[in-house]
Amino acid sequence: MEGATVRNIAKEAGLSLGALRHYFSTQEELLIYAMDLVKNQAEQRIYRVIDRKLPPKEMALNMLLELLPTTEETRAEMEVWFSFVAYARHKRAGVHPYEDGLFDGITRMVHSLNKAGYLRDGIDLDAEAERLYALIDGLALHALLAPDRLNQTRLSEIVGNHLDSIWQETPQKD
Amino acid sequence: MEGATVRNIAKEAGLSLGALRHYFSTQEELLIYAMDLVKNQAEQRIYRVIDRKLPPKEMALNMLLELLPTTEETRAEMEVWFSFVAYARHKRAGVHPYEDGLFDGITRMVHSLNKAGYLRDGIDLDAEAERLYALIDGLALHALLAPDRLNQTRLSEIVGNHLDSIWQETPQKD
DNA sequence: GGTTTTATAATACAACTGTATTATAAAATT
DNA sequence: AATTTTATAATACAGTTGTATTATAAAACC
């Protein structure tokens, strides 16, 4: 975040200070724009997974994997996001990266999977959503810090294990 | 992190710039000192839990809870730690908060619990350590961002659920 | 008691920061 | 064609930053 000065951004974009200022009159506008960009890209990746109409468990796994840094692009995105989260804790009023709707989304997914009978009986749905949400963000953070240890294969393994542990393998009806 | 200027720190400590500089000649020394302080305090809390000689599952639960922000003090500590992690990604050479030994510690704990027969048969120990590690750091992050939703009781519930899910309830020998 | 070390303070400095101002081109519009 | 809008650039400004310098008390030491 320290490097995200308006001068650095202008330089990297090949613009002068004045030119950049023509599009973004304050630094905060720039930050909010970058934040929304990352958020929208992640959302679109998720929608694309949904459109693939995979079997439920594969779909859940692939949706969750889109929230983890597995490619150079998503790694960059999530590094930006992570910086924003840390930055927004004590700063600017307009930057709210943790209102990302992720907790709501995962909660809805868990409830929906359960309603369709894919999850084990007797589990606390909200607690499971909280656990899954924490697992995902924790893995995302660790994958950023140790990308070699947590490559795509490994991440898929871990999340897959987790899904297996809450999944109802024998369907209720057939 | 932006507020951690040498002037702010001196003011909060009731010292002049020169006086603070007498103890810490550069800002980096200050940061590293603060980092080590937080790390050592967390370590000591863990050792204190071990000394209580609780039953294995309670001990594991309480050790893990010491890694989460449940009190005003630990919340402050982990906010510092979190800021360091974000800060160190692209900055100062001497600041390495993610070499915290936590992954090794959790891995050792999981292997040790398994060797003592407390964990379910057939689980992938390293993958379980990775999953638990991510769960803890994810919960820590989320508890910082939403302390009302994730209070001590709720955190204990979630981590307890997780331990239950990998625990071998019927002992191998009796 | 004299001297060295430790502690504190005030001030200075060069670099960097976000933002503002001013000046020009180029493009679009009328 | 004239004029307005859009785009770019250079420079300026006030504030903050980390660090350095200098001065002066207090304490420790010999």
Side-chain angles (χ1 to χ4, degrees), chain A residues 7 15-19 22-23:
Chain A
R7 281 172 179 80
L15 295 173
S16 71
L17 263 181
H22 184 256
Y23 301 100

Side-chain angles (χ1 to χ4, degrees), chain B residues 7 15-19 22-23:
Chain B
R7 281 172 179 80
L15 295 174
S16 72
L17 262 181
H22 184 255
Y23 302 100

Side-chain angles (χ1 to χ4, degrees), chain B residues 3-172:
Chain B
T5 67
V6 290
R7 281 172 179 80
N8 275 352
I9 294 168
K11 192 158 90 180
E12 191 133 345
L15 295 174
S16 72
L17 262 181
L20 180 62
R21 198 174 145 70
H22 184 255
Y23 302 100
F24 301 94
S25 55
T26 69
Q27 191 187 28
E28 182 160 335
E29 280 183 38
L30 251 169
L31 298 178
I32 293 176
Y33 176 84
M35 226 172 58
D36 286 346
L37 193 67
V38 169
K39 184 172 174 174
N40 290 337
Q41 279 174 345
E43 272 177 7
Q44 287 187 331
R45 283 200 308 273
I46 304 256
Y47 288 137
R48 246 174 280 144
V49 171
I50 295 178
D51 287 345
R52 285 166 59 196
K53 302 201 181 303
L54 298 164
K57 199 153 140 190
E58 277 76 32
M59 181 184 280
L61 176 59
N62 281 279
M63 284 173 69
L64 294 171
L65 285 178
E66 292 298 338
L67 301 170
L68 299 176
T70 54
T71 67
E72 209 47 56
E73 192 199 3
T74 52
R75 198 184 330 278
E77 277 180 24
M78 289 173 198
E79 232 167 284
V80 169
W81 195 260
F82 180 50
S83 299
F84 277 135
V85 171
Y87 177 74
R89 290 284 302 143
H90 294 103
K91 281 284 288 185
R92 297 278 208 320
V95 185
H96 293 128
Y98 35 88
E99 295 166 3
D100 54 8
L102 200 54
F103 179 53
D104 285 350
I106 289 185
T107 301
R108 276 201 303 275
M109 190 181 92
V110 167
H111 278 265
S112 152
L113 287 172
N114 180 255
K115 198 165 285 177
Y118 294 117
L119 301 189
R120 293 197 176 162
D121 295 337
I123 64 175
D124 180 337
L125 291 179
D126 287 324
E128 284 304 328
E130 195 77 74
R131 189 159 71 108
L132 179 55
Y133 178 38
L135 175 69
I136 292 300
D137 269 1
L139 281 177
L141 178 57
H142 292 168
L144 277 184
L145 301 179
D148 291 335
R149 196 183 76 226
L150 284 169
N151 55 17
Q152 171 149 25
T153 309
R154 186 63 167 160
L155 289 170
S156 179
E157 216 170 73
I158 312 276
V159 178
N161 279 350
H162 187 83
L163 286 182
D164 287 343
S165 80
I166 62 174
W167 213 263
Q168 179 71 268
E169 291 301 344
T170 57
Q172 291 176 312

Side-chain angles (χ1 to χ4, degrees), chain A residues 115-155:
Chain A
K115 198 165 286 180
Y118 294 117
L119 300 189
R120 292 199 176 160
D121 296 337
I123 64 176
D124 180 337
L125 291 179
D126 288 323
E128 283 304 329
E130 195 78 73
R131 189 159 72 108
L132 179 55
Y133 179 36
L135 175 70
I136 291 300
D137 268 1
L139 281 177
L141 178 57
H142 292 167
L144 278 184
L145 301 179
D148 292 336
R149 195 183 77 227
L150 283 169
N151 55 16
Q152 172 148 25
T153 309
R154 186 62 167 157
L155 289 170

